[in-house]
Amino acid sequence: MTSPKPKPSIPIVDFSNWNTNETSRQRVAQEIVTACKEVGFVYITNHSLPETILGEAFHWSERFFKLAQDEKLKAPHPPGWAVHRGYSWPGLEKVSQTMSTGVDEEVTEQLREIPDIKESYDIGSDENQSQPNQWLPEESLPGFRDFMLRFYWECFRVGGEILQVLAIGLDLDENHLLEKHSGHNNQLRLLHYPPIPAETIESNRAARCPAHTDWSSITMLFQDDCGGLEVEDITSPGSYIPATPIKNAIVMNVGDLLQMWSNDILRSTNHRVTLPPLEDRFEGPRRMTRGRFSIPYFMAPDPDSVIECIPSCMRDDLPAKYEPVTQAGYNQMRASMQY
């Protein structure tokens, strides 16, 4: 009798040697690119984002979500899908891959009936006039805006290093990907998953965040110790593996645009947030889940950037699979399906 195939795991890459010498740079680049080919996700440890700044970001996020609802609604997400900024209350946003593709209207309507129990606050560059930030009044949370803008640009700096790593791993000039990212089109998202009876998730009467892919080039995710993030096993579609929290690590994943850019060599993998995996993540006789906080940062090319196949990702027997598309065009298609 054959033993069952072991479940894959998400690779862990130590980033501390990135800038030590050329051999180390190549090794880090190849490890991350291999993870992006085989899993689409990778843990990055010992990166250059200071632990103190990351801890402060979670502190500010918790303070924001503890505000009274009428205070949070002083910075609301604007109506519709065109501007993706400000506070989104539980149930406003519906994220799923089926919604995004718009293939099956009946399934889409069924998904609409299952609310996503999460709340979020989205931030971008203050210089992005097409996506204006929706800031709280300063007196509602003094210092919040100043810190979040500083954190936004720190994340861009670290994300830029990862884009350079990916470029080297794809046999490109190290700035080939980064030069299309000014930083003004990125998105910082604060996420809070409130406590909820586990039974409502188990019975499919509510969701935390259903399976989806990201629209961006790459996503960097910072998560607390609660757990619940799961990544699809691309060797066994429909089967998921937990992205168990690792303190201070970046969970980095490939977005749709980078998959298209790389001609499907790098994988934009489905992922979801569901119940925490361990019983100690539940509280009380009703098995209430713990509240969960996470902070994703989405690296996106500038709106007029044309996403077309990277030369090193094409061969005679592997022609380009996608027509060129601008970031703005792809983003509009995805966002219009979400709200």
Side-chain angles (χ1 to χ4, degrees), residues 30-308:
Q30 290 306 321
E31 288 177 353
I32 289 180
V33 165
T34 297
C36 291
K37 290 177 178 178
E38 296 178 353
V39 182
F41 274 72
V42 60
Y43 293 103
I44 298 177
T45 60
N46 298 316
H47 49 80
S48 65
L49 185 68
E51 181 179 345
T52 53
I53 292 179
L54 186 55
E56 194 174 351
F58 275 99
H59 172 72
W60 279 109
S61 179
E62 292 187 31
R63 288 185 64 190
F64 173 85
F65 289 116
K66 284 180 180 177
L67 292 173
Q69 191 73 355
D70 59 350
E71 284 294 316
K72 290 182 283 192
L73 287 171
K74 291 179 179 178
H77 187 291
W81 56 263
V83 176
H84 202 39
R85 297 289 183 263
Y87 174 66
S88 297
W89 50 94
L92 175 64
E93 179 185 283
K94 184 69 198 177
V95 176
S96 81
Q97 191 62 14
T98 305
M99 285 294 300
S100 300
T101 56
V103 170
D104 189 324
E105 291 185 10
E106 183 177 345
V107 172
T108 291
E109 288 307 310
Q110 291 172 354
L111 285 166
R112 280 283 185 203
E113 295 172 4
I114 304 173
D116 285 7
I117 308 302
K118 68 178 189 299
E119 55 183 341
S120 60
Y121 183 75
D122 292 294
I123 301 163
S125 166
D126 264 350
E127 296 182 38
N128 186 339
Q129 300 302 312
S130 66
Q131 294 283 312
N133 278 320
Q134 311 293 305
W135 292 111
L136 288 173
E138 181 64 16
E139 60 269 19
S140 294
L141 198 57
F144 175 75
R145 175 176 180 168
D146 286 348
F147 174 80
M148 284 300 162
L149 283 174
R150 180 161 60 91
F151 183 62
Y152 176 95
W153 289 107
E154 273 291 291
C155 288
F156 172 63
R157 178 186 61 77
V158 176
E161 293 177 339
I162 295 172
L163 288 177
Q164 289 177 318
V165 167
L166 290 166
I168 289 174
L170 292 171
D171 297 321
L172 301 167
D173 176 81
E174 71 172 25
N175 291 317
H176 184 92
L177 300 175
L178 180 58
E179 66 188 8
K180 292 184 180 290
H181 298 71
S182 68
H184 295 299
N185 203 33
N186 298 340
Q187 179 181 328
L188 170 64
R189 164 165 275 204
L190 310 181
L191 272 168
H192 175 226
Y193 299 85
I196 184 174
E199 189 273 333
T200 62
I201 302 289
E202 292 164 341
S203 64
N204 206 34
R205 288 186 288 115
R208 290 197 126 176
C209 188
H212 64 285
T213 59
D214 294 339
W215 318 348
S216 49
S217 301
I218 61 170
T219 302
M220 299 186 297
L221 175 74
F222 309 99
Q223 54 179 339
D224 66 9
D225 67 347
C226 182
L229 176 65
E230 296 182 340
V231 176
E232 188 170 31
D233 175 2
I234 61 178
T235 68
S236 179
S239 176
Y240 283 78
I241 56 177
T244 304
I246 297 176
K247 186 174 176 58
N248 297 322
I250 296 172
V251 183
M252 191 279 283
N253 65 277
V254 175
D256 294 349
L257 289 179
L258 186 55
Q259 175 169 318
M260 295 163 65
W261 232 334
S262 69
N263 215 21
D264 289 354
I265 289 174
L266 307 185
R267 300 295 295 268
S268 180
T269 305
N270 268 325
H271 50 286
R272 66 188 184 187
V273 178
T274 183
L275 291 175
L278 303 175
E279 282 300 315
D280 67 2
R281 304 309 187 199
F282 303 119
E283 298 174 344
R286 294 181 63 204
R287 294 177 66 238
M288 294 290 289
T289 65
R290 280 179 51 196
R292 176 179 184 264
F293 294 89
S294 65
I295 304 176
Y297 185 86
F298 305 98
M299 293 280 289
D302 296 326
D304 59 354
S305 296
V306 177
I307 309 305
E308 55 188 340

